[in-house]
Amino acid sequence: MTTATILNGKQLASSIKTSLKEKISNLKQKPTLAVIIVGNNPASETYVRSKEKACLETGINSKTYKLDENIQETELLELIDLLNKDNDVNGILVQLPLPSHINTDHILHAITPIKDVDGFHPLNTGLLLKKSPKAFIPCTPKGILKLLHLAKKDLTGLNAVVVGRSQIVGLPIANLLINENCTVTVTHSKTKNLKEICKSADILIAALGKTEFITKDYIKENSIIIDVGINRTTEGLKGDVKFSDAIDLCSHITPVPGGVGPMTIAMLLENTYEAFLSQTNS
Ligand code: NDP
């Protein structure tokens, strides 16, 4: 029995931030990220605070717009229009989820694609499908790919199984893995024989949002496991994978916390820096 190597997202994110900080310190003008948060969702407030802190640490200006829960969609669209036109703003992020009276797609589609550092605009989704280097890749999948490359440089020919088909994690990581020459299966809540499918995975991406759902019966020996899940439990944060089952079976695994989460924020900073460079032709 072997013990898996931990893919330390906290450490990798920290080295990416250090390198960004150095590059940004050499710029005459600093990149600016505008973050919009609507309402008082405690988890969203925590995420926004972490993003502000990370910007501060790397030398990116962050401007947070905290809006009332009852704001109308038109008012939010007006703010996005202003930020789209503001040359001093390089990246725009709208913290999700939005209150139910606001149509999330209307909002995300209103952000100009060149400032869409979350990579959720359909133009960026299309550019990702076309393998365009101009695509803003959504932060969580972009971070996952970097973690996978810590385990293995060349992913060609590996069987990858993605559990979850969300627009922000499951689908973009599936596309990135296809671009890496993996053979990809995307599964979801209607999938039959999920255990068998997962057990065939050389790379297993668990992004379903169910506490410790993936147990030893789902895991192939010597596979690489990326646990995207963030589930708040009475025992603290837990992933979608039962870590104690996985650790003796797989070859590599991301911990929760300290795996995918810190990489998501590092990729947001990287996307903001890249947006700045392309907008200023630096
Ligand atoms: P969503 O709720 O949008 O999507 C969940 C997906 O999982 C859906 O496609 C759903 O299927 C599928 N699913 C649900 N139950 C099952 C099941 N029993 N078997 C197979 N598939 C199932 O979640 P997100 O993609 O936004 O997030 C997933 C997890 O990742 C959450 O825990 C979230 O907190 C975490 N997360 C972590 C981030 C990080 O930075 N670490 C960033 C973003 C998310 P269907 O489509 O059929 O409903």
Side-chain angles (χ1 to χ4, degrees):
M1 200 182 279
T2 53
T3 299
T5 302
I6 305 291
L7 298 172
N8 189 332
K10 203 172 165 193
Q11 204 171 62
L12 180 58
S14 167
S15 73
I16 290 169
K17 284 194 278 186
T18 304
S19 137
L20 273 176
K21 185 178 176 176
E22 199 183 317
K23 288 188 232 167
I24 290 168
S25 71
N26 292 323
L27 297 172
K28 284 200 194 95
Q29 195 194 329
K30 305 296 173 214
T32 295
L33 173 68
V35 178
I36 301 174
I37 175 168
V38 182
N40 304 304
N41 178 328
S44 294
E45 285 180 336
T46 307
Y47 289 135
V48 168
R49 271 196 301 274
S50 312
K51 288 167 188 174
E52 285 170 342
K53 184 168 166 268
C55 283
L56 196 70
E57 281 166 11
T58 34
I60 292 175
N61 297 321
S62 79
K63 287 186 180 177
T64 302
Y65 296 81
K66 197 165 177 350
L67 307 177
D68 188 83
E69 176 84 25
N70 298 316
I71 192 170
Q72 291 305 302
E73 190 175 299
T74 47
E75 293 173 80
L76 189 47
L77 288 169
E78 276 164 23
L79 172 61
I80 290 172
D81 188 44
L82 281 178
L83 296 172
N84 281 343
K85 291 175 181 152
D86 185 343
N87 289 336
D88 291 333
V89 170
N90 309 108
I92 304 170
L93 177 153
V94 178
Q95 185 63 44
L96 301 180
L98 289 169
S100 56
H101 67 278
I102 295 177
N103 182 315
T104 303
D105 278 350
H106 289 173
I107 301 304
L108 297 180
H109 297 185
I111 298 171
T112 180
I114 58 165
K115 297 188 181 182
D116 172 36
V117 285
D118 250 345
F120 295 157
H121 190 284
L123 184 84
N124 281 313
T125 310
L127 290 174
L128 165 60
L129 293 184
K130 290 182 76 68
K131 288 170 87 168
S132 165
K134 287 188 179 155
F136 278 115
I137 313 276
C139 302
T140 301
K142 191 177 182 186
I144 291 173
L145 197 57
K146 292 207 194 252
L147 286 163
L148 283 171
H149 282 142
L150 279 184
K152 219 170 185 345
K153 268 212 172 85
D154 184 4
L155 307 177
T156 299
L158 296 180
N159 285 333
V161 173
V162 181
V163 187
R165 55 175 164 180
S166 73
Q167 303 281 337
I168 62 170
V169 187
L171 292 183
I173 189 61
N175 283 307
L176 285 174
L177 290 171
I178 291 170
N179 293 348
E180 292 286 313
N181 299 317
C182 291
T183 305
V184 181
T185 307
V186 180
T187 66
H188 45 75
S189 67
K190 309 289 184 292
T191 297
K192 291 181 182 154
N193 304 324
L194 185 64
K195 269 186 197 166
E196 287 73 13
I197 296 170
C198 289
K199 225 172 157 67
S200 73
D202 302 311
I203 296 173
L204 181 62
I205 313 283
L208 67 161
K210 297 257 148 73
T211 310
E212 298 185 332
F213 181 94
I214 303 290
T215 53
K216 58 177 180 301
D217 304 340
Y218 291 75
I219 297 169
K220 180 179 174 180
E221 246 179 87
N222 289 321
S223 55
I224 304 170
I225 300 183
I226 304 289
D227 189 352
V228 188
I230 300 180
N231 305 293
R232 286 162 215 281
T233 75
T234 48
E235 293 161 42
L237 285 191
K238 296 273 179 196
D240 287 346
V241 178
K242 188 155 189 213
F243 190 84
S244 55
D245 276 11
I247 189 83
D248 294 325
L249 270 175
C250 63
S251 68
H252 297 78
I253 184 165
T254 56
V256 177
V260 175
M263 286 301 291
T264 298
I265 294 192
M267 293 304 97
L268 172 66
L269 303 173
E270 192 173 279
N271 280 354
T272 305
Y273 173 68
E274 284 167 9
F276 172 87
L277 293 187
S278 72
Q279 286 160 36
T280 55
N281 295 318
S282 302

